[in-house]
Amino acid sequence: MEFNFDIRSYFSSPIVTIHNSLIPAHFQGDKRELNLCYQHMSEIIDKIGAASAIAQGLQKPITSALKILNSEHTLYLLTDRNGGPKKHGVVIGLLKMGWKNLFLFNKAGECIERNTLCILDFYVHESMQRMGCGNALFEHMLQDMKVLAHQLAIDKPSQKFLCFLNKHYGLSQIVPQNNHFVVFSQFFDDISKKEGMKKKAPWSCKDKASDFVSKPTRHLHSQLW
Ligand code: ACO
């Protein structure tokens, strides 16, 4: 994904982390340069967020500069600093993470309420998919956040993403939930060892579903459940 400005001064390494200031961590410059960086980062985030939404068939982006500004989300951007016809660099992908308080059910129907790190948006530009870029971005996030893939919840994963998780992390056993988040069976192994699951919830999964289901699922294939 190209821009009509040079992105290299904003991206000191192939993967940069963005929080709600929109300014990359290692950016240095005077006030004018900082303002320009802010404008350019907004443009970058809006454009790649829109591309991600199109790729997932969503009606509107779930990642935009405005949404990042008003959140505590962490956005990782993958770039090729020497890419593009003018060698001004190109943006290849995004991965957005955030914490959510979730009620999750294990296979036995036991419930746990837990502040859970979630994958909220993940996208690699069409020209670069299936070349390891997604895995590079994902591995960077796991190390940065000091977390394992099975400890994450995923907001409405697409079929491509489910294949990705199966291929790179051997994650395939989805435990059905009443919300639009997906967790794998190993998620509960860790919790049972550390904290113990709560007894069966006093309400049934169906009773509680209306509290949790706010959006339709995105691309889930029923045979995977
Ligand atoms: N069909 C099936 N599996 C795919 C496809 C595809 N078109 N593309 C990637 N994968 C999976 C496969 O397991 C593939 O391995 P394979 O080529 O041996 O079959 C593996 O991902 C490739 O791994 P990477 O190259 O590291 O991943 P990539 O750079 O392609 O990034 C991503 C993966 C982000 C899912 C990318 O395919 C993409 O952007 N897809 C479109 C948007 C999307 O679906 N995003 C996830 C939405 S859900 C959410 O964000 C919470």
Short mmCIF file of all heavy atoms in Angstrom, two decimals, residues 52 55-56 62 119-126 128-136 154-161 163-165 167-168 218-219, ligand 1:
data_model
loop_
_atom_site.label_atom_id
_atom_site.label_comp_id
_atom_site.label_asym_id
_atom_site.label_seq_id
_atom_site.Cartn_x
_atom_site.Cartn_y
_atom_site.Cartn_z
N SER A 52 -8.64 -3.36 5.12
CA SER A 52 -8.92 -4.54 5.94
C SER A 52 -10.43 -4.82 5.95
O SER A 52 -10.86 -5.98 5.82
CB SER A 52 -8.42 -4.32 7.37
OG SER A 52 -8.74 -5.43 8.18
N ALA A 55 -11.47 -6.32 2.69
CA ALA A 55 -11.01 -7.72 2.58
C ALA A 55 -11.89 -8.66 3.40
O ALA A 55 -12.05 -9.82 3.05
CB ALA A 55 -9.56 -7.82 3.05
N GLN A 56 -12.46 -8.14 4.48
CA GLN A 56 -13.29 -8.99 5.35
C GLN A 56 -14.78 -8.87 5.04
O GLN A 56 -15.61 -9.45 5.73
CB GLN A 56 -13.04 -8.62 6.80
CG GLN A 56 -11.62 -8.90 7.26
CD GLN A 56 -11.36 -8.41 8.67
OE1 GLN A 56 -12.05 -8.78 9.60
NE2 GLN A 56 -10.37 -7.54 8.82
N ILE A 62 -13.18 -1.34 11.05
CA ILE A 62 -13.10 -1.46 12.51
C ILE A 62 -11.80 -0.85 13.02
O ILE A 62 -11.62 -0.69 14.22
CB ILE A 62 -13.24 -2.93 12.99
CG1 ILE A 62 -12.40 -3.88 12.12
CG2 ILE A 62 -14.67 -3.37 13.01
CD1 ILE A 62 -12.48 -5.32 12.58
N ILE A 119 -7.64 -10.40 19.68
CA ILE A 119 -7.24 -9.96 18.34
C ILE A 119 -8.48 -9.33 17.71
O ILE A 119 -9.50 -9.99 17.53
CB ILE A 119 -6.76 -11.14 17.49
CG1 ILE A 119 -5.59 -11.84 18.19
CG2 ILE A 119 -6.34 -10.67 16.10
CD1 ILE A 119 -5.22 -13.16 17.57
N LEU A 120 -8.36 -8.06 17.38
CA LEU A 120 -9.54 -7.31 16.92
C LEU A 120 -9.55 -7.10 15.41
O LEU A 120 -10.61 -6.99 14.80
CB LEU A 120 -9.59 -5.96 17.66
CG LEU A 120 -9.63 -6.07 19.19
CD1 LEU A 120 -9.53 -4.68 19.82
CD2 LEU A 120 -10.87 -6.79 19.66
N ASP A 121 -8.37 -7.00 14.83
CA ASP A 121 -8.29 -6.78 13.38
C ASP A 121 -6.93 -7.27 12.90
O ASP A 121 -5.92 -7.04 13.58
CB ASP A 121 -8.48 -5.29 13.06
CG ASP A 121 -8.86 -5.02 11.61
OD1 ASP A 121 -9.06 -5.99 10.85
OD2 ASP A 121 -8.95 -3.83 11.24
N PHE A 122 -6.92 -7.93 11.75
CA PHE A 122 -5.68 -8.51 11.23
C PHE A 122 -5.80 -8.49 9.71
O PHE A 122 -6.78 -9.00 9.14
CB PHE A 122 -5.56 -9.95 11.76
CG PHE A 122 -4.26 -10.64 11.48
CD1 PHE A 122 -3.07 -9.95 11.27
CD2 PHE A 122 -4.21 -12.04 11.44
CE1 PHE A 122 -1.87 -10.61 11.04
CE2 PHE A 122 -3.02 -12.72 11.21
CZ PHE A 122 -1.85 -12.00 11.01
N TYR A 123 -4.82 -7.92 9.07
CA TYR A 123 -4.90 -7.80 7.61
C TYR A 123 -3.50 -7.68 7.01
O TYR A 123 -2.65 -6.96 7.53
CB TYR A 123 -5.71 -6.55 7.23
CG TYR A 123 -5.63 -6.17 5.77
CD1 TYR A 123 -6.25 -6.95 4.79
CD2 TYR A 123 -4.94 -5.04 5.37
CE1 TYR A 123 -6.16 -6.60 3.44
CE2 TYR A 123 -4.85 -4.67 4.03
CZ TYR A 123 -5.47 -5.46 3.07
OH TYR A 123 -5.38 -5.11 1.74
N VAL A 124 -3.30 -8.41 5.92
CA VAL A 124 -2.09 -8.27 5.10
C VAL A 124 -2.54 -7.91 3.68
O VAL A 124 -3.51 -8.51 3.17
CB VAL A 124 -1.26 -9.58 5.12
CG1 VAL A 124 -0.17 -9.56 4.04
CG2 VAL A 124 -0.63 -9.79 6.50
N HIS A 125 -1.88 -6.96 3.09
CA HIS A 125 -2.26 -6.50 1.74
C HIS A 125 -2.31 -7.70 0.77
O HIS A 125 -1.45 -8.59 0.83
CB HIS A 125 -1.26 -5.45 1.24
CG HIS A 125 -1.71 -4.77 -0.01
ND1 HIS A 125 -1.38 -5.22 -1.28
CD2 HIS A 125 -2.50 -3.69 -0.18
CE1 HIS A 125 -1.94 -4.44 -2.18
NE2 HIS A 125 -2.62 -3.50 -1.54
N GLU A 126 -3.29 -7.67 -0.10
CA GLU A 126 -3.54 -8.80 -1.01
C GLU A 126 -2.28 -9.21 -1.77
O GLU A 126 -2.05 -10.40 -2.02
CB GLU A 126 -4.65 -8.45 -2.01
CG GLU A 126 -6.06 -8.52 -1.44
CD GLU A 126 -6.40 -7.44 -0.42
OE1 GLU A 126 -5.63 -6.47 -0.29
OE2 GLU A 126 -7.42 -7.57 0.28
N MET A 128 0.62 -9.34 -0.84
CA MET A 128 1.66 -9.91 0.02
C MET A 128 1.16 -11.09 0.86
O MET A 128 1.88 -11.59 1.73
CB MET A 128 2.21 -8.83 0.98
CG MET A 128 2.85 -7.65 0.30
SD MET A 128 4.35 -8.08 -0.58
CE MET A 128 5.49 -8.30 0.76
N GLN A 129 -0.07 -11.52 0.62
CA GLN A 129 -0.59 -12.62 1.43
C GLN A 129 0.09 -13.94 1.07
O GLN A 129 0.58 -14.12 -0.02
CB GLN A 129 -2.12 -12.74 1.25
CG GLN A 129 -2.87 -11.61 1.96
CD GLN A 129 -4.39 -11.66 1.77
OE1 GLN A 129 -4.95 -12.65 1.31
NE2 GLN A 129 -5.04 -10.56 2.10
N ARG A 130 0.09 -14.85 2.04
CA ARG A 130 0.68 -16.20 1.89
C ARG A 130 2.17 -16.14 1.59
O ARG A 130 2.71 -16.99 0.89
CB ARG A 130 -0.05 -17.00 0.81
CG ARG A 130 -1.46 -17.38 1.27
CD ARG A 130 -2.14 -18.33 0.34
NE ARG A 130 -2.68 -19.47 1.05
CZ ARG A 130 -3.67 -20.22 0.58
NH1 ARG A 130 -4.21 -19.96 -0.56
NH2 ARG A 130 -4.09 -21.25 1.29
N MET A 131 2.83 -15.12 2.15
CA MET A 131 4.29 -15.00 1.98
C MET A 131 4.98 -14.90 3.34
O MET A 131 6.14 -14.53 3.42
CB MET A 131 4.61 -13.77 1.13
CG MET A 131 4.09 -13.89 -0.30
SD MET A 131 4.10 -12.32 -1.19
CE MET A 131 5.84 -12.08 -1.40
N GLY A 132 4.24 -15.15 4.40
CA GLY A 132 4.84 -15.11 5.74
C GLY A 132 4.72 -13.77 6.45
O GLY A 132 5.18 -13.65 7.60
N CYS A 133 4.12 -12.78 5.80
CA CYS A 133 4.02 -11.44 6.43
C CYS A 133 3.11 -11.49 7.66
O CYS A 133 3.43 -10.92 8.71
CB CYS A 133 3.47 -10.42 5.44
SG CYS A 133 4.57 -10.13 4.07
N GLY A 134 1.97 -12.18 7.52
CA GLY A 134 1.05 -12.28 8.64
C GLY A 134 1.72 -12.93 9.83
O GLY A 134 1.59 -12.49 10.98
N ASN A 135 2.49 -13.98 9.55
CA ASN A 135 3.17 -14.68 10.64
C ASN A 135 4.23 -13.80 11.30
O ASN A 135 4.38 -13.82 12.53
CB ASN A 135 3.81 -15.97 10.08
CG ASN A 135 4.22 -16.91 11.19
OD1 ASN A 135 5.30 -17.46 11.18
ND2 ASN A 135 3.38 -17.09 12.19
N ALA A 136 4.93 -13.01 10.50
CA ALA A 136 5.95 -12.09 11.07
C ALA A 136 5.27 -11.09 12.01
O ALA A 136 5.77 -10.84 13.13
CB ALA A 136 6.67 -11.37 9.94
N ILE A 154 -10.35 -14.22 19.77
CA ILE A 154 -10.34 -13.60 18.44
C ILE A 154 -11.74 -13.14 18.08
O ILE A 154 -12.70 -13.92 18.17
CB ILE A 154 -9.83 -14.60 17.38
CG1 ILE A 154 -8.46 -15.13 17.82
CG2 ILE A 154 -9.73 -13.94 16.02
CD1 ILE A 154 -8.11 -16.43 17.21
N ASP A 155 -11.83 -11.90 17.66
CA ASP A 155 -13.12 -11.31 17.33
C ASP A 155 -13.51 -11.73 15.90
O ASP A 155 -12.91 -11.26 14.92
CB ASP A 155 -13.00 -9.78 17.44
CG ASP A 155 -14.36 -9.11 17.39
OD1 ASP A 155 -15.37 -9.81 17.24
OD2 ASP A 155 -14.39 -7.87 17.50
N LYS A 156 -14.44 -12.64 15.79
CA LYS A 156 -14.98 -13.07 14.50
C LYS A 156 -13.89 -13.39 13.46
O LYS A 156 -13.75 -12.70 12.45
CB LYS A 156 -15.92 -12.01 13.92
CG LYS A 156 -17.12 -11.71 14.79
CD LYS A 156 -18.10 -10.75 14.14
CE LYS A 156 -17.63 -9.32 14.06
NZ LYS A 156 -17.40 -8.65 15.31
N PRO A 157 -13.11 -14.42 13.69
CA PRO A 157 -12.05 -14.72 12.72
C PRO A 157 -12.60 -15.15 11.35
O PRO A 157 -13.62 -15.84 11.29
CB PRO A 157 -11.27 -15.88 13.37
CG PRO A 157 -12.23 -16.49 14.32
CD PRO A 157 -13.13 -15.39 14.80
N SER A 158 -11.90 -14.75 10.31
CA SER A 158 -12.28 -15.18 8.96
C SER A 158 -11.76 -16.60 8.74
O SER A 158 -10.93 -17.12 9.49
CB SER A 158 -11.66 -14.24 7.93
OG SER A 158 -10.24 -14.33 8.01
N GLN A 159 -12.22 -17.21 7.67
CA GLN A 159 -11.73 -18.54 7.33
C GLN A 159 -10.22 -18.54 7.08
O GLN A 159 -9.51 -19.45 7.51
CB GLN A 159 -12.48 -19.02 6.07
CG GLN A 159 -12.19 -20.45 5.69
CD GLN A 159 -12.61 -21.44 6.77
OE1 GLN A 159 -13.59 -21.21 7.47
NE2 GLN A 159 -11.86 -22.50 6.93
N LYS A 160 -9.72 -17.50 6.43
CA LYS A 160 -8.27 -17.41 6.17
C LYS A 160 -7.51 -17.38 7.49
O LYS A 160 -6.45 -17.99 7.63
CB LYS A 160 -7.94 -16.14 5.38
CG LYS A 160 -8.35 -16.17 3.93
CD LYS A 160 -7.87 -14.89 3.25
CE LYS A 160 -8.36 -14.79 1.82
NZ LYS A 160 -7.90 -13.57 1.14
N PHE A 161 -8.04 -16.63 8.44
CA PHE A 161 -7.36 -16.49 9.73
C PHE A 161 -7.40 -17.81 10.49
O PHE A 161 -6.43 -18.21 11.15
CB PHE A 161 -8.02 -15.36 10.53
CG PHE A 161 -7.25 -14.90 11.72
CD1 PHE A 161 -5.94 -15.30 11.96
CD2 PHE A 161 -7.82 -14.02 12.64
CE1 PHE A 161 -5.23 -14.86 13.07
CE2 PHE A 161 -7.13 -13.59 13.75
CZ PHE A 161 -5.83 -14.02 13.98
N CYS A 163 -7.42 -20.76 9.14
CA CYS A 163 -6.40 -21.60 8.49
C CYS A 163 -5.01 -21.19 8.96
O CYS A 163 -4.15 -22.04 9.22
CB CYS A 163 -6.49 -21.46 6.97
SG CYS A 163 -7.96 -22.19 6.26
N PHE A 164 -4.81 -19.89 9.07
CA PHE A 164 -3.53 -19.34 9.53
C PHE A 164 -3.19 -19.89 10.93
O PHE A 164 -2.08 -20.36 11.19
CB PHE A 164 -3.64 -17.82 9.54
CG PHE A 164 -2.50 -17.08 10.17
CD1 PHE A 164 -1.46 -16.58 9.40
CD2 PHE A 164 -2.47 -16.85 11.55
CE1 PHE A 164 -0.40 -15.88 10.00
CE2 PHE A 164 -1.43 -16.16 12.15
CZ PHE A 164 -0.40 -15.68 11.36
N LEU A 165 -4.15 -19.84 11.82
CA LEU A 165 -3.91 -20.27 13.21
C LEU A 165 -3.67 -21.77 13.29
O LEU A 165 -2.86 -22.25 14.08
CB LEU A 165 -5.11 -19.87 14.09
CG LEU A 165 -5.23 -18.38 14.36
CD1 LEU A 165 -6.60 -18.05 14.93
CD2 LEU A 165 -4.13 -17.89 15.30
N LYS A 167 -2.39 -23.58 10.82
CA LYS A 167 -1.08 -23.87 10.20
C LYS A 167 0.08 -23.48 11.12
O LYS A 167 0.99 -24.27 11.35
CB LYS A 167 -0.96 -23.09 8.89
CG LYS A 167 0.43 -23.24 8.29
CD LYS A 167 0.66 -22.45 7.04
CE LYS A 167 2.14 -22.48 6.71
NZ LYS A 167 2.42 -22.54 5.30
N HIS A 168 0.05 -22.27 11.63
CA HIS A 168 1.23 -21.77 12.37
C HIS A 168 1.24 -22.17 13.85
O HIS A 168 2.30 -22.24 14.46
CB HIS A 168 1.30 -20.24 12.28
CG HIS A 168 1.60 -19.75 10.89
ND1 HIS A 168 2.77 -20.04 10.22
CD2 HIS A 168 0.86 -19.00 10.03
CE1 HIS A 168 2.76 -19.48 9.02
NE2 HIS A 168 1.60 -18.84 8.88
N ARG A 218 -18.80 -13.14 11.40
CA ARG A 218 -18.26 -12.61 10.18
C ARG A 218 -18.15 -13.69 9.10
O ARG A 218 -18.82 -13.65 8.10
CB ARG A 218 -16.89 -12.04 10.51
CG ARG A 218 -16.42 -11.01 9.59
CD ARG A 218 -15.57 -9.93 10.22
NE ARG A 218 -14.58 -10.31 11.17
CZ ARG A 218 -13.82 -9.42 11.80
NH1 ARG A 218 -13.93 -8.16 11.55
NH2 ARG A 218 -12.93 -9.80 12.67
N HIS A 219 -17.33 -14.67 9.31
CA HIS A 219 -17.12 -15.65 8.25
C HIS A 219 -17.06 -17.07 8.81
O HIS A 219 -16.48 -17.94 8.20
CB HIS A 219 -15.76 -15.44 7.57
CG HIS A 219 -15.53 -14.08 7.02
ND1 HIS A 219 -16.08 -13.64 5.85
CD2 HIS A 219 -14.79 -13.06 7.49
CE1 HIS A 219 -15.68 -12.42 5.61
NE2 HIS A 219 -14.91 -12.03 6.60
N1 ACO B 1 -7.03 -19.19 1.95
C1 ACO B 1 -6.83 -20.04 2.96
N2 ACO B 1 -5.85 -19.86 3.90
C2 ACO B 1 -5.11 -18.74 3.81
C3 ACO B 1 -5.30 -17.80 2.79
C4 ACO B 1 -6.30 -18.06 1.82
N3 ACO B 1 -6.54 -17.23 0.78
N4 ACO B 1 -4.41 -16.79 2.98
C5 ACO B 1 -3.68 -17.11 4.08
N5 ACO B 1 -4.10 -18.28 4.58
C6 ACO B 1 -3.58 -18.99 5.76
C7 ACO B 1 -3.06 -20.37 5.30
O1 ACO B 1 -2.99 -21.21 6.42
C8 ACO B 1 -1.69 -20.01 4.81
O2 ACO B 1 -0.83 -21.12 4.70
P1 ACO B 1 -0.72 -21.87 3.24
O3 ACO B 1 -0.40 -20.80 2.23
O4 ACO B 1 0.38 -22.86 3.43
O5 ACO B 1 -2.06 -22.50 3.00
C9 ACO B 1 -1.22 -19.08 5.87
O6 ACO B 1 -2.41 -18.32 6.25
C10 ACO B 1 -0.14 -18.14 5.37
O7 ACO B 1 0.47 -17.53 6.47
P2 ACO B 1 1.10 -16.08 6.28
O8 ACO B 1 1.68 -15.94 4.91
O9 ACO B 1 1.98 -15.80 7.44
O10 ACO B 1 -0.23 -15.20 6.41
P3 ACO B 1 -0.69 -13.94 5.52
O11 ACO B 1 0.43 -12.99 5.31
O12 ACO B 1 -1.44 -14.42 4.33
O13 ACO B 1 -1.74 -13.24 6.54
C11 ACO B 1 -4.09 -13.04 6.96
C12 ACO B 1 -2.86 -13.95 7.02
C13 ACO B 1 -3.84 -11.80 7.80
C14 ACO B 1 -5.30 -13.80 7.52
C15 ACO B 1 -4.32 -12.64 5.48
O14 ACO B 1 -4.61 -13.79 4.74
C16 ACO B 1 -5.43 -11.62 5.27
O15 ACO B 1 -5.22 -10.43 5.40
N6 ACO B 1 -6.62 -12.07 4.91
C17 ACO B 1 -7.73 -11.16 4.58
C18 ACO B 1 -8.26 -10.45 5.79
C19 ACO B 1 -8.65 -11.40 6.89
O16 ACO B 1 -9.31 -12.40 6.67
N7 ACO B 1 -8.22 -11.04 8.13
C20 ACO B 1 -8.59 -11.73 9.35
C21 ACO B 1 -9.94 -11.23 9.78
S1 ACO B 1 -10.45 -11.79 11.38
C22 ACO B 1 -9.82 -10.66 12.47
O17 ACO B 1 -9.20 -9.74 12.09
C23 ACO B 1 -10.01 -10.84 13.94
#
